[in-house]
Amino acid sequence: MSTTPTARRPRADTSAHKPLQKGQQTKAAIVDAALGLATQIGLEGLSIGALAEVMQMSKSGVFAHFGSREELQISVVREYHTRFEEEVFYPAINAPRGLPRLRMLFDNWMKRTSVEIDSGCIYISGAVEFDDRPGPVRDALASSVNTWLSAMRRAVEIAIEEGHLAPDTDAAQMAFEIHALILALHYEARFLRSPDSALRAVRAFDNIVTRFGTVQAPAPRKTVTKSPAAANKQG
């Protein structure tokens, strides 16, 4: 896996591409169902038996598409990463270079967080489950997260190049602080159910930008941000 997403990877589209074979369609459906389960019960909770019950298939039928529970878990991680990129990273590429693009990355990340308040984030839950368990599943998780964080760090570097952030800005430090905001948001909104957690995260992001910013930095957009819980209730 590359360290930074650089080009959109097309998803299967039966209207523009060769239709998937039946076996591929079945495997894609299994991965989709497995991802839904994993967001609720975690990657470690996935089992061939539980998935076979959800899919109304035999255990041997599910096993034939993956070969092992570990391979199934890795497929779920990869699918989650693909959807994360499509919802968070790729839409921001159309934003102007520099701070506008960085803001859109953060905004898109916030939107996804709002959706995941009731389901959970594979990156976060997976880190808890596999932080001290070396192996292919942990490697797949770590690779996906590092890919995303590298993209965030590159967005900060571009904002420095555009003169929107101070030339001596530590890009890795700024990306670290932005990541920390999302982790705090998940904890406050999902576990503590704090109603103003999203507003505090946005305010904290603006404070980070102000601290590292320059007089050339574009003014922040005036938006009203609802709490993740409120946004989720309204769909």
Side-chain angles (χ1 to χ4, degrees):
M1 185 178 293
S2 62
T3 57
T4 304
T6 56
R8 181 185 295 273
R9 290 173 294 189
R11 302 293 298 277
D13 184 349
T14 55
S15 64
H17 301 86
K18 182 179 178 180
L20 292 175
Q21 298 297 321
K22 184 177 180 180
Q24 294 174 310
Q25 291 177 334
T26 301
K27 184 173 183 178
I30 294 172
V31 171
D32 184 67
L35 178 56
L37 277 177
T39 57
Q40 297 290 337
I41 62 177
L43 285 168
E44 188 58 25
L46 283 180
S47 69
I48 298 294
L51 199 52
E53 185 176 345
V54 170
M55 294 296 298
Q56 296 184 333
M57 296 173 61
S58 66
K59 291 182 181 180
S60 59
V62 174
F63 188 84
H65 288 281
F66 298 95
S68 70
R69 177 168 171 265
E70 187 175 79
E71 185 180 336
L72 170 64
Q73 291 170 322
I74 292 172
S75 295
V76 168
V77 171
R78 289 173 177 165
E79 178 63 18
Y80 181 85
H81 181 69
T82 296
R83 297 186 187 189
F84 186 93
E85 285 187 340
E86 289 178 347
E87 294 178 23
V88 178
F89 177 78
Y90 292 119
I93 295 301
N94 295 323
R97 286 169 55 89
L99 202 49
R101 184 175 299 174
L102 182 61
R103 282 199 180 105
M104 183 167 287
L105 284 172
F106 181 74
D107 288 349
N108 292 347
W109 203 357
M110 287 277 294
K111 290 177 184 176
R112 185 173 179 91
T113 299
S114 297
V115 173
E116 291 179 333
I117 292 305
D118 287 333
S119 60
C121 172
I122 293 294
Y123 288 161
I124 295 175
S125 62
V128 174
E129 292 176 302
F130 292 91
D131 59 346
D132 60 351
R133 296 177 59 186
V137 179
R138 186 190 189 284
D139 292 345
L141 272 167
S143 178
S144 295
V145 173
N146 280 326
T147 296
W148 165 236
L149 295 182
S150 293
M152 282 291 298
R153 185 165 59 249
R154 181 55 189 151
V156 173
E157 291 170 349
I158 292 173
I160 296 171
E161 294 167 4
E162 294 295 315
H164 298 161
L165 298 174
D168 61 348
T169 295
D170 185 336
Q173 178 65 29
M174 187 172 183
F176 177 91
E177 293 183 24
I178 294 172
H179 186 206
L181 291 181
I182 294 296
L183 295 179
L185 175 60
H186 267 275
Y187 189 92
E188 293 254 347
R190 182 169 166 78
F191 179 57
L192 299 180
R193 298 290 174 177
S194 301
D196 59 349
S197 55
L199 293 173
R200 291 189 180 280
V202 170
R203 188 182 304 163
F205 177 82
D206 290 341
N207 289 340
I208 292 173
V209 170
T210 298
R211 193 168 81 250
F212 289 105
T214 67
V215 293
Q216 301 179 50
R221 291 167 296 178
K222 295 181 179 179
T223 58
V224 177
T225 304
K226 300 176 182 178
S227 70
N232 196 43
K233 287 181 181 179
Q234 293 185 10

